[in-house]
Amino acid sequence: MYKVVKAHAKINLAINVLDKRDDGYHNIDLVSLPLELHDNIEFEAYPKKYGTYVTCDDASIICDESNLVYKAYRLMKHEFGFDSGMRIKIYKNIPIEAGLGGGSADAGAIINGICNEYKLDVSNQKKIDLGIQIGSDVPYCIFNKPARVQSRGEKLTFINVKKNYYVLLVQPNQGLSTKGVYEVSDKLEKKFSNVDELVKGLELGDDALIEKNMVNGLQNAAIYILPEIQNIIDKLHALNFKKVMMSGSGSSVFALSEDFNKIKKAAKEFDETLFSIWITKTICPINKK
């Protein structure tokens, strides 16, 4: 009998790109919030003799051994020694090359799904240790909670936020490679967020403090590669949104608002033949203190 798990997208309210590590990755300091927008991962244990298959309803997704979901399955099987194959089907809703963590979310979801299916007693730290072997965003995506993420992505500090927001996502027709954006970013002057103040703003529900400290250190590099990102940002500002930023390494841009009608109205201002548009919301546990 197959099981289904949700793989939630995320947005970043800040990304500080710090020094480059000996392993080729960068140390980072960022803040992520989970979104209602999600992929669905359907999986079913098969007899070992049938092997393991990963498929996707989006033909542009490569489903060979390089796929993060396949890597997650193979790592879990090696680590915990369960003796079966698996059929895994990915139903995509999260756009690719958008800076929303889609591939990492799928990998995190299958780790959680396997833990539940095989009733594995796995600590949070063990999940983090496994996730970072697959990708820098995977540890965060395993938990899907508001968090400050540091080091390469394995240091998580969860945040108690005061309120949720509706989210308008706008992506130009062209996506961006994370590796390519980081390479350009290394050649440009970087901007930095005061992450401590951003976290404080989220905990207090202080919109002015949040807006002041929303800084994506990869945004200038992404705009250098794809200037259309700046046009989207400018248009959202002109539509009177203050909390506007590119997510991750791009190419999607988000606007946050507590006013659903404002979000819905703004979505109609973008030509659907030129942009992909989603309306979703953050799904943060709310701190009611």
Side-chain angles (χ1 to χ4, degrees):
M1 181 68 178
Y2 68 80
K3 305 291 175 63
V4 178
V5 289
K6 291 181 179 181
H8 288 273
K10 66 178 179 65
I11 53 172
N12 304 110
L13 266 60
I15 300 179
N16 288 344
V17 181
L18 308 177
D19 54 304
K20 195 167 185 179
R21 301 156 50 105
D22 292 339
D23 59 11
Y25 292 92
H26 290 76
N27 284 311
I28 47 87
D29 188 2
L30 58 83
V31 172
S32 293
L33 301 182
L35 299 180
E36 173 60 35
L37 176 68
H38 63 275
D39 294 342
N40 289 304
I41 314 294
E42 179 183 292
F43 68 99
E44 182 178 12
Y46 268 18
K48 181 180 179 180
K49 64 181 180 179
Y50 294 126
T52 293
Y53 303 92
V54 177
T55 59
C56 184
D57 63 347
D58 184 338
S60 69
I61 302 295
I62 298 172
C63 290
D64 61 12
E65 293 186 4
S66 68
N67 186 286
L68 296 187
V69 167
Y70 191 96
K71 289 183 177 182
Y73 160 79
R74 184 170 56 190
L75 178 62
M76 294 291 285
K77 184 173 182 178
H78 176 266
E79 189 72 23
F80 298 104
F82 53 86
D83 189 28
S84 69
M86 192 166 285
R87 180 189 64 80
I88 304 171
K89 179 68 178 289
I90 306 168
Y91 295 92
K92 290 298 293 183
N93 291 304
I94 304 172
I96 62 172
E97 294 188 333
L100 300 173
S104 297
D106 294 345
I110 205 65
I111 288 173
N112 286 327
I114 288 173
C115 286
N116 291 333
E117 174 69 12
Y118 291 95
K119 297 180 173 58
L120 302 174
D121 184 16
V122 185
S123 69
N124 286 348
Q125 186 57 54
K126 180 65 174 178
K127 287 183 179 181
I128 290 170
D129 294 342
L130 292 167
I132 200 65
Q133 295 180 56
I134 303 163
S136 297
D137 277 342
V138 177
Y140 171 81
C141 291
I142 289 171
F143 298 98
N144 294 312
K145 296 178 181 179
R148 182 175 186 171
V149 184
Q150 294 170 281
S151 189
R152 192 191 131 196
E154 73 276 20
K155 182 180 178 182
L156 302 176
T157 306
F158 297 117
I159 303 168
N160 293 313
V161 304
K162 188 71 171 179
K163 54 188 175 182
N164 279 299
Y165 298 94
Y166 293 105
V167 183
L168 174 61
L169 294 167
V170 182
Q171 184 188 22
N173 287 334
Q174 181 181 338
L176 288 175
S177 156
T178 298
K179 181 180 178 181
V181 172
Y182 267 94
E183 287 175 349
V184 172
S185 175
D186 284 338
K187 301 173 184 177
L188 300 177
E189 183 178 354
K190 294 180 175 65
K191 294 184 178 180
F192 295 93
S193 165
N194 185 330
V195 178
D196 290 331
E197 287 294 288
L198 175 60
V199 170
K200 181 179 178 182
L202 289 168
E203 291 175 338
L204 296 175
D206 186 331
D207 284 331
L209 197 56
I210 293 169
E211 293 157 16
K212 180 180 178 180
N213 293 288
M214 284 176 56
V215 179
N216 184 340
L218 295 172
Q219 186 168 290
N220 285 345
I223 291 169
Y224 180 86
I225 300 168
L226 184 58
E228 184 61 32
I229 292 170
Q230 184 65 61
N231 295 337
I232 298 171
I233 292 170
D234 291 344
K235 185 167 183 175
L236 288 169
H237 280 307
L239 291 169
N240 201 30
F241 289 97
K242 296 181 179 180
K243 291 183 283 297
V244 176
M245 202 170 77
M246 184 187 80
S247 186
S249 56
S251 60
S252 70
V253 175
F254 65 84
L256 304 181
S257 177
E258 295 178 78
D259 185 341
F260 176 73
N261 289 327
K262 182 179 179 180
I263 289 279
K264 189 175 179 180
K265 183 178 179 181
K268 297 177 181 179
E269 296 293 323
F270 291 89
D271 186 340
E272 293 184 1
T273 65
L274 301 176
F275 305 97
S276 296
I277 302 149
W278 297 265
I279 296 175
T280 183
K281 59 183 179 181
T282 61
I283 47 169
C284 305
I286 299 303
N287 173 20
K288 296 182 179 180
K289 291 182 181 179

